[in-house]
Amino acid sequence: MGGILASQKKEDEHGEELQHVDTGDSLKVKQLLDESVHKAVIKKFDEDHYIDNMKIILMIIACLFAMTAQFYPMPFPKSRPLLGVCCSGYFIFSGILQLVVKFIERDAIIVTKANDKHSAIRVTSSFPRFQSDYQIKIQFEQPDGFSLEENHCVGKFFDADGFYYESGFITTIDDLIERFIAKKSD
């Protein structure tokens, strides 16, 4: 068994251990690529945590309603109005959370803060099941802002055994970010 595990480890030319993933698992492949995009973007921009913090606050409020309904020390027949309020509150705040995810977050990998040099940007990705192209889109946070979109075949960044060449992918994303910044300046 030790021989099997030893054969599953592989290093790139920089001596870094490559990550192994089942390339048939498109969700895992997309997650791995999204994490690499996040790493590349935060090297150049500061991340804006406003949406994440808003989602956490909404879920905490929903959970407080649920905990009150479950653990409030009142016998059942008397607690019906309280249970109705708590269930309604949980439903409302969970619904608001889903609306935030669907209409505000919109599949964003990362949203950055605006600074002196750049406006805030949003980076999104798409990787449909049973497809080989990973689509990445960088755009300014304004509704009619400039955007740059590229498709990359994931086969360029995974070998036949499923080892992920992260440094090559991050270099590709760095180049995309540089072109986005250069085109924005034009």
Side-chain angles (χ1 to χ4, degrees), residues 45-142:
F45 299 97
D46 293 328
E47 186 174 0
D48 185 6
H49 296 282
Y50 177 75
I51 294 173
D52 294 330
N53 292 341
M54 182 172 48
K55 291 183 341 186
I56 290 169
I57 289 169
L58 288 169
M59 202 62 237
I60 287 173
I61 293 170
C63 288
L64 288 174
F65 276 111
M67 288 179 8
T68 302
Q70 180 68 32
F71 299 115
Y72 193 78
M74 184 186 292
F76 172 64
K78 293 180 183 175
S79 66
R80 278 189 174 177
L82 176 68
L83 290 175
V85 168
C86 289
C87 289
S88 298
Y90 180 82
F91 176 76
I92 289 168
F93 281 97
S94 294
I96 293 170
L97 175 66
Q98 291 304 313
L99 292 173
V100 167
V101 169
K102 177 80 174 166
F103 295 110
I104 296 176
E105 191 176 46
R106 298 186 319 256
D107 296 329
I109 298 172
I110 185 171
V111 177
T112 67
K113 295 179 182 177
N115 61 24
D116 298 340
K117 299 177 191 173
H118 308 288
S119 300
I121 64 168
R122 171 183 297 269
V123 181
T124 59
S125 70
S126 173
F127 184 54
R129 290 186 70 190
F130 310 117
Q131 300 295 317
S132 63
D133 285 343
Y134 176 80
Q135 180 185 54
I136 182 165
K137 182 177 182 180
I138 302 176
Q139 64 189 38
F140 285 110
E141 194 56 10
Q142 299 96 337

Side-chain angles (χ1 to χ4, degrees), residues 12-13 20 32 42 47 50 67 74 83 112 120 123 150 158 163 180-181:
D12 67 1
E13 68 272 0
H20 183 266
L32 201 57
I42 63 171
E47 186 174 0
Y50 177 75
M67 288 179 8
M74 184 186 292
L83 290 175
T112 67
V123 181
E150 269 191 3
F158 289 89
F163 287 99
F180 177 76
I181 292 170

